[in-house]
Amino acid sequence: DIQMTQSPSSLSASVGDRISITCRASQSINTFLNWYQQKPGKVPKLLIYGASSLQSGVPSRFSGSGSGIDFTLTISNLQPEDFATYYCQQSYSTLRTFGQGTKVEI
Amino acid sequence: QVQLVQSGAGVNKPGASVNISCQASGYPFTRYYIHWVRQTPGQGLEWMGIINPIAGITSYAEKLQGRLTLTSDTSTSTVYMELSSLTSEDTAMYYCARDDHKLWAFDIWGQGTMVSVSS
């Protein structure tokens, strides 16, 4: 199975900050990398697919980059509603493994 | 409206099996694979398995092989997940999710079904 490792596991930030979350795959996955946001008690929401494509309706302050093994999710101008847990997921393999998550806290 | 609606929560005894349904609506059911993902309380997302609804072809996470069975009923646009030999470690929220074959990502999720395993 392809292992996905996110860092950091949590971070503290303030409204208006720019933050980055990284995700590393255990093997090359080209750009088959997705990012999801999950708020407490809610269903995960797709933010970015194909490493850098913004899902419809997602604010442009979210962006993704990377290919191969290393990927980054960047949130510019952090808003109150962005405080949540973020997960990366590889879609290179049928077995769609997730990273362990990064909790973004105030 | 495109949606996946899951069956309700339940409490199950250790050693028993649980069966959760996931009914699709608002899109051509047979054209999208369905995945199952679970989340233990306070923990991350764990991919469980995938089913091709029209062919019934499945793949499962290695740790769940032998205990997990996914099936589909095209007449009702419903996918079923059965997990057997339950232990307390199976206490989790279970989600079905649609795999958009253009995005290669899970674009639609069910609302989740909480399964508690307790004697």
Side-chain angles (χ1 to χ4, degrees):
Chain A
D1 295 5
I2 300 174
Q3 307 302 316
M4 307 301 294
T5 304
Q6 285 181 238
S7 61
S9 55
S10 66
L11 67 88
S12 296
S14 300
V15 173
D17 283 355
R18 175 188 173 99
I19 65 166
S20 292
I21 299 168
T22 63
C23 179
R24 172 166 286 186
S26 59
Q27 65 177 75
S28 177
I29 57 171
N30 199 331
T31 56
F32 290 95
L33 190 284
N34 309 312
W35 290 98
Y36 299 87
Q37 176 194 65
Q38 187 180 34
K39 298 179 180 179
K42 300 297 185 182
V43 175
K45 172 187 174 183
L46 176 64
L47 295 178
I48 287 173
Y49 62 93
S52 61
S53 296
L54 208 60
Q55 171 66 334
S56 176
V58 174
S60 59
R61 63 180 179 273
F62 291 90
S63 63
S65 64
S67 68
I69 293 175
D70 291 314
F71 302 87
T72 301
L73 172 69
T74 299
I75 311 174
S76 304
N77 188 21
L78 200 65
Q79 295 299 297
E81 60 268 30
D82 300 336
F83 291 94
T85 300
Y86 295 84
Y87 295 92
C88 64
Q89 178 207 36
Q90 61 81 18
S91 53
Y92 182 86
S93 162
T94 299
L95 282 63
R96 303 286 185 86
T97 44
F98 291 90
Q100 79 277 18
T102 296
K103 186 173 184 179
V104 176
E105 301 173 295
I106 300 174
Chain B
Q1 180 186 359
V2 177
Q3 61 179 355
L4 299 172
V5 178
Q6 300 181 219
S7 50
V11 178
N12 301 86
K13 294 192 181 303
S17 298
V18 64
N19 200 311
I20 302 172
S21 65
C22 170
Q23 185 170 37
S25 61
Y27 72 92
F29 173 68
T30 56
R31 291 178 57 184
Y32 294 80
Y33 292 5
I34 295 289
H35 296 254
W36 287 85
V37 175
R38 69 179 179 179
Q39 185 170 37
T40 51
Q43 300 302 309
L45 302 171
E46 178 187 8
W47 181 84
M48 300 176 66
I50 176 177
I51 183 166
N52 175 336
I54 190 170
I57 298 172
T58 57
S59 289
Y60 303 130
E62 186 172 355
K63 67 177 288 187
L64 296 173
Q65 289 273 4
R67 292 204 301 133
L68 177 64
T69 304
L70 302 181
T71 56
S72 66
D73 181 346
T74 56
S75 68
T76 60
S77 299
T78 303
V79 169
Y80 297 92
M81 183 217 73
E82 181 179 24
L83 188 62
S84 61
S85 303
L86 293 171
T87 73
S88 59
E89 295 184 352
D90 295 315
T91 293
M93 182 71 80
Y94 289 76
Y95 296 101
C96 59
R98 187 181 85 162
D99 186 349
D100 188 305
H101 50 270
K102 294 185 286 292
L103 308 183
W104 292 79
F106 300 171
D107 66 333
I108 304 294
W109 293 66
Q111 82 275 20
T113 299
M114 186 65 205
V115 173
S116 299
V117 182
S118 174
S119 56

